[in-house]
Amino acid sequence: MLIKICGITTPEMARKVAASGVDYIGLLFTKHSPRQIDLATAKQICEVVKDYDTQVVGVFFDESQEQIQAIDAALSLDVIQLHGDAPRAAIANFTHKPIIYVADGKALPAELNPAKDFILYEKITPDSTIPFRYFIAGGIDKDNVLARIAEANPAGVDLSSGVEITRGVKDYGKIREFLALVKPTYYGAFGGMYVPELLIEPLHDLTKAYHEIALGNEFQAEFINLLKNYVGRPTALTEVKNFAKAIGLKHVYLKREDLTHTGAHKINNALGQCLLAKKMGKTRIIAETGAGQHGVATATACAMLGLECKVYMGDVDVKRQAPNVAKMRLLGAEVISVTDGSATLKDAVNEALRDWASSYETTHYCLGTALGPYPFPQICARFQSVIGNEAKAQFAEQTGSKPDLVIACVGGGSNAIGVFQAFIPDEEIKLVGVEAGGYGTGVGENAARFQSGRLGVLHGNRTYVLQTQDGQIADTHSVSAGLDYAAVGPQHSDLFATGRASYDVASDQEALHAFQLLTSSEGIIPALESSHALAYLIRIAKDLPSDCKVLVNLSGRGDKDLPGLLERGLIHVAH
Ligand SMILES: *Cc1c(COP(=O)(O)O)cnc(C)c1O
């Protein structure tokens, strides 16, 4: 479903509307509209919108053919919208770009091309037998939009006054509400279900089970009980005074996901999904894993819940993560070594999706982070939301206030979204996600999706993806296996695009330094992934007010990283 918002009048309005994930914005050039804009403003708007995946529509009513062409020549509009009184001859001038033709009862000109042009119905009920895709408009608001769509079956909806506070002033909250209603599988412009036909049915089944079972009281009571008595929640919130002092700050608090059973936040999601699968009547679980952390968490949940478990793991990873492979096998899981492609995580995900397409009657795919096709990002975020909910309450209890800054490392994005969610509504709290800066800024030297990634589709969702010039998935690198992935969860892409959260990087070297500093100053060995969040804080500490209250999500413990670091000579231990 396409969304077009008409009557954009300022560059700031354009930026906000584009960032929220709208497909088209309409600029009105007619003097009869209160939302008319001049060419100079239109130029600024086109410039601003270039950074987004939103197309600019020039809306014309009664301008002459020459005027329309002159405006298009100045702006290079993406789409031309012609109302009945705009000269029909103009249609012939725009055979090279899409036209939106406002029909409303008039005969459709033969010059229109169904392959690229749209019809817009403002007043009358669309004629669904025409060979064109069409928009509906007129009196659409959030209470009637779904009924209007069901009735008219359009390709898109065109909104203007339905999303305004007062005439000409757009209400961004309302636009977001609209988007959530009309595109429920998206976070703004990101997310969706980009999967082969075969996977649509299992994804729909899962969405239904998520709403009907996982959000129900009975499931929640059982899940909360397991989180408490099996995982060991609530995890502590620890003030780290020595570490804070060492970096020139006064108030640094760590949310201790390292203290969970299996040693990282991943168990929250794995347990939630496996419990849901069991309630759905599934007997078998498949999962992908990179370094093996999610594989171990899933195998653990399956052992406890009595489910069969098969873990897909790239052959390269099977060889370099032998202890986790042994652990999974000990827990009763079958580990399948994937030799396709680069034989790493992305190939393991492909293989798991392939398995699921033919096995979903009996099998749940337990995806390990907050990405993939909808509803996976939603489900994972929900099961991880316990992190932020606990941290927010603990922070208030221990300090009598709220954090100024919340930091988390971002691989696929599950621990970060887990902690961020509770704080998103409070815009005073700054949220920062930290990606793997690796050893450089070149392609293949990092996993910094928000630094050098582009919009793309990987593993069923539309999001920021590191890719080569011709759109192939780029190689990635990080000293921490959990951050070493080419795409990022779609909700993070949305938080980035809308500016609600910002994203930065920490390099391998910075992470190793943070790893050692927290260990030696506090007696807490952080996971290398979590060390990226600490490293970012170390780097920016001097720019913060010294009384800044900081919350860092310590996503996991570093015991798993130690053998590899020693073996590779990346850290040295004095005798
Ligand atoms: C897997 C992992 C991560 C990265 O995954 P997210 O989904 O981004 O949280 C971070 N920290 C630890 C300890 C991990 O095991």
Side-chain angles (χ1 to χ4, degrees), residues 198-199 202 284-287 308-312 334 336 347-365:
L198 268 175
L199 286 172
R284 180 174 173 267
I285 301 291
I286 52 174
E308 194 188 323
C309 181
K310 188 172 194 169
V311 179
Y312 289 96
E334 185 186 351
I336 306 289
D347 311 291
V349 179
N350 288 339
E351 210 49 44
L353 284 166
R354 212 165 290 152
D355 180 322
W356 201 38
S358 63
S359 66
Y360 67 87
E361 301 269 347
T362 59
T363 301
H364 173 67
Y365 175 22

Side-chain angles (χ1 to χ4, degrees), residues 37 125 161-162 169 199 219 247 260 282 291 318-319 331 375-376 401 404 411 414 428 477 518 566 570:
I37 59 167
T125 307
S161 56
V169 182
L199 286 172
F219 179 94
I247 64 174
T260 56
K282 312 284 181 192
V318 169
K319 295 202 170 95
L331 287 159
F376 283 111
S401 62
D404 300 307
S414 69
E428 283 178 5
H477 163 84
L518 187 75
L566 291 169
L570 289 172

Side-chain angles (χ1 to χ4, degrees), residues 257-258 263-266 291 293-294 368-371 380 384 409-418 434 449 480-484 488 492 526-531 553-558 560-561:
E257 293 303 292
D258 60 312
H265 68 291
K266 285 200 172 75
Q293 295 305 110
H294 174 58
T369 184
L371 53 72
C380 180
Q384 294 292 3
C409 64
V410 184
S414 69
N415 87 87
I417 207 66
V434 185
R449 290 71 46 104
S480 66
L483 305 185
D484 196 354
V488 64
H492 287 290
L528 273 178
E529 291 83 1
S530 326
S531 300
N553 192 34
L554 204 76
S555 53
R557 70 178 82 131
K560 68 177 175 64
D561 298 310

Side-chain angles (χ1 to χ4, degrees), residues 525-540:
I525 305 178
L528 273 178
E529 291 83 1
S530 326
S531 300
H532 284 72
L534 296 166
Y536 166 77
L537 179 61
I538 293 171
R539 188 172 76 232
I540 62 143

